[in-house]
Coordinates of all heavy atoms in Angstrom, one line a residue:
T195 N -13.3 -7.6 0.3 CA -13.4 -6.2 0.8 C -13.2 -6.2 2.3 O -13.3 -7.2 2.9 CB -14.7 -5.5 0.4 OG1 -14.7 -4.1 0.7 CG2 -15.9 -6.1 1.1
V196 N -13.0 -5.0 2.9 CA -12.9 -4.8 4.3 C -13.9 -3.7 4.7 O -13.9 -2.6 4.2 CB -11.5 -4.3 4.7 CG1 -11.4 -4.2 6.2 CG2 -10.4 -5.3 4.2
L197 N -14.8 -4.1 5.7 CA -15.9 -3.2 6.1 C -15.9 -3.1 7.6 O -15.6 -4.0 8.3 CB -17.2 -3.7 5.5 CG -17.4 -3.8 4.0 CD1 -18.7 -4.4 3.7 CD2 -17.2 -2.5 3.3
F198 N -16.4 -1.9 8.0 CA -16.6 -1.7 9.4 C -17.8 -2.5 9.9 O -18.8 -2.7 9.2 CB -17.0 -0.2 9.7 CG -17.6 0.1 11.0 CD1 -16.7 0.3 12.1 CD2 -18.9 0.2 11.2 CE1 -17.3 0.6 13.4 CE2 -19.5 0.5 12.4 CZ -18.6 0.7 13.5
K199 N -17.7 -3.1 11.1 CA -18.7 -3.9 11.7 C -19.4 -3.2 12.9 O -20.6 -2.9 12.9 CB -18.2 -5.3 12.2 CG -19.2 -6.2 12.8 CD -20.3 -6.6 11.8 CE -21.2 -7.6 12.5 NZ -22.3 -8.0 11.5
D200 N -18.6 -2.8 13.9 CA -19.1 -2.1 15.0 C -18.0 -1.5 15.9 O -16.8 -1.8 15.6 CB -20.0 -3.0 15.9 CG -19.4 -4.3 16.3 OD1 -18.2 -4.3 16.6 OD2 -20.1 -5.3 16.4
F201 N -18.3 -0.7 16.9 CA -17.3 -0.2 17.7 C -17.1 -1.0 19.0 O -18.1 -1.4 19.6 CB -17.6 1.3 18.1 CG -17.4 2.3 17.0 CD1 -18.4 2.8 16.4 CD2 -16.1 2.6 16.7 CE1 -18.2 3.8 15.3 CE2 -15.8 3.5 15.7 CZ -16.9 4.1 15.0
N202 N -15.9 -1.3 19.4 CA -15.6 -1.9 20.7 C -15.6 -0.9 21.8 O -16.1 -1.2 22.9 CB -14.3 -2.6 20.7 CG -14.2 -3.7 19.6 OD1 -15.1 -4.5 19.4 ND2 -13.1 -3.6 18.8
D203 N -15.1 0.3 21.5 CA -15.0 1.3 22.5 C -14.6 2.7 21.9 O -14.1 2.7 20.8 CB -13.8 0.9 23.5 CG -13.9 1.7 24.8 OD1 -14.9 2.4 25.1 OD2 -12.9 1.5 25.6
T204 N -14.9 3.7 22.6 CA -14.4 5.1 22.3 C -13.9 5.7 23.6 O -14.4 5.3 24.7 CB -15.5 6.0 21.7 OG1 -16.6 6.2 22.6 CG2 -16.0 5.4 20.3
F205 N -13.0 6.6 23.5 CA -12.4 7.2 24.7 C -11.9 8.6 24.5 O -11.4 8.9 23.4 CB -11.3 6.3 25.3 CG -10.5 5.5 24.3 CD1 -9.4 6.0 23.6 CD2 -10.9 4.2 24.0 CE1 -8.7 5.3 22.7 CE2 -10.2 3.5 23.0 CZ -9.2 4.0 22.4
T206 N -12.0 9.4 25.5 CA -11.6 10.8 25.4 C -10.8 11.2 26.7 O -10.9 10.5 27.7 CB -12.8 11.8 25.3 OG1 -13.6 11.7 26.5 CG2 -13.6 11.4 24.1
G207 N -10.1 12.3 26.7 CA -9.4 12.7 27.8 C -8.4 13.9 27.6 O -8.3 14.4 26.4
P208 N -7.7 14.3 28.6 CA -6.8 15.4 28.5 C -5.5 15.1 27.8 O -4.7 16.0 27.3 CB -6.5 15.8 29.9 CG -6.7 14.6 30.7 CD -7.8 13.8 30.0
V209 N -5.2 13.8 27.6 CA -3.9 13.4 27.0 C -4.1 12.7 25.7 O -3.4 13.0 24.7 CB -3.2 12.4 27.9 CG1 -1.8 11.9 27.3 CG2 -2.9 13.0 29.3
Y210 N -5.1 11.9 25.5 CA -5.4 11.2 24.3 C -6.9 10.9 24.2 O -7.7 10.9 25.1 CB -4.6 9.9 24.1 CG -5.0 8.8 25.0 CD1 -6.0 7.9 24.7 CD2 -4.3 8.6 26.2 CE1 -6.4 6.9 25.6 CE2 -4.7 7.5 27.1 CZ -5.7 6.7 26.7 OH -6.1 5.7 27.6
G211 N -7.3 10.6 22.9 CA -8.7 10.2 22.7 C -8.6 9.3 21.5 O -7.7 9.3 20.7
G212 N -9.7 8.4 21.3 CA -9.6 7.5 20.2 C -10.8 6.5 20.2 O -11.8 6.7 20.8
F213 N -10.6 5.4 19.5 CA -11.6 4.4 19.4 C -11.0 3.1 19.1 O -9.8 3.0 18.6 CB -12.6 4.8 18.2 CG -11.9 4.8 16.9 CD1 -11.9 3.7 16.1 CD2 -11.4 6.0 16.4 CE1 -11.3 3.7 14.8 CE2 -10.8 6.0 15.1 CZ -10.7 4.9 14.4
S214 N -11.8 2.0 19.3 CA -11.5 0.7 18.8 C -12.6 0.2 18.0 O -13.8 0.2 18.5 CB -11.2 -0.3 20.0 OG -11.0 -1.6 19.5
A215 N -12.4 -0.2 16.7 CA -13.4 -0.6 15.8 C -13.2 -2.0 15.3 O -12.0 -2.4 15.1 CB -13.5 0.3 14.6
H216 N -14.2 -2.8 15.2 CA -14.2 -4.1 14.7 C -14.5 -4.1 13.2 O -15.5 -3.6 12.8 CB -15.2 -5.0 15.4 CG -15.3 -6.4 14.9 ND1 -16.3 -7.3 15.1 CD2 -14.4 -7.2 14.2 CE1 -16.1 -8.5 14.5 NE2 -14.9 -8.4 13.9
Q217 N -13.5 -4.5 12.4 CA -13.6 -4.6 10.9 C -13.6 -6.0 10.4 O -12.8 -6.8 11.0 CB -12.5 -3.7 10.3 CG -12.5 -2.3 10.7 CD -11.5 -1.4 10.0 OE1 -11.6 -0.2 9.9 NE2 -10.4 -2.0 9.5
E218 N -14.3 -6.3 9.4 CA -14.3 -7.6 8.8 C -13.7 -7.7 7.4 O -14.1 -6.8 6.6 CB -15.8 -8.2 8.8 CG -16.4 -8.4 10.1 CD -17.8 -8.9 10.1 OE1 -18.5 -8.6 9.1 OE2 -18.3 -9.6 11.0
H219 N -12.8 -8.6 7.2 CA -12.3 -8.9 5.9 C -13.1 -10.0 5.2 O -13.1 -11.1 5.7 CB -10.8 -9.3 6.0 CG -9.9 -8.2 6.6 ND1 -8.8 -7.7 6.0 CD2 -10.0 -7.6 7.8 CE1 -8.3 -6.8 6.8 NE2 -9.0 -6.7 7.9

Side-chain angles (χ1 to χ4, degrees):
T195 188
V196 183
L197 299 177
F198 167 82
K199 179 66 174 179
D200 52 35
F201 284 107
N202 302 314
D203 198 7
T204 61
F205 28 88
T206 64
V209 181
Y210 68 85
F213 64 89
S214 173
H216 179 197
Q217 301 184 156
E218 293 180 333
H219 297 237

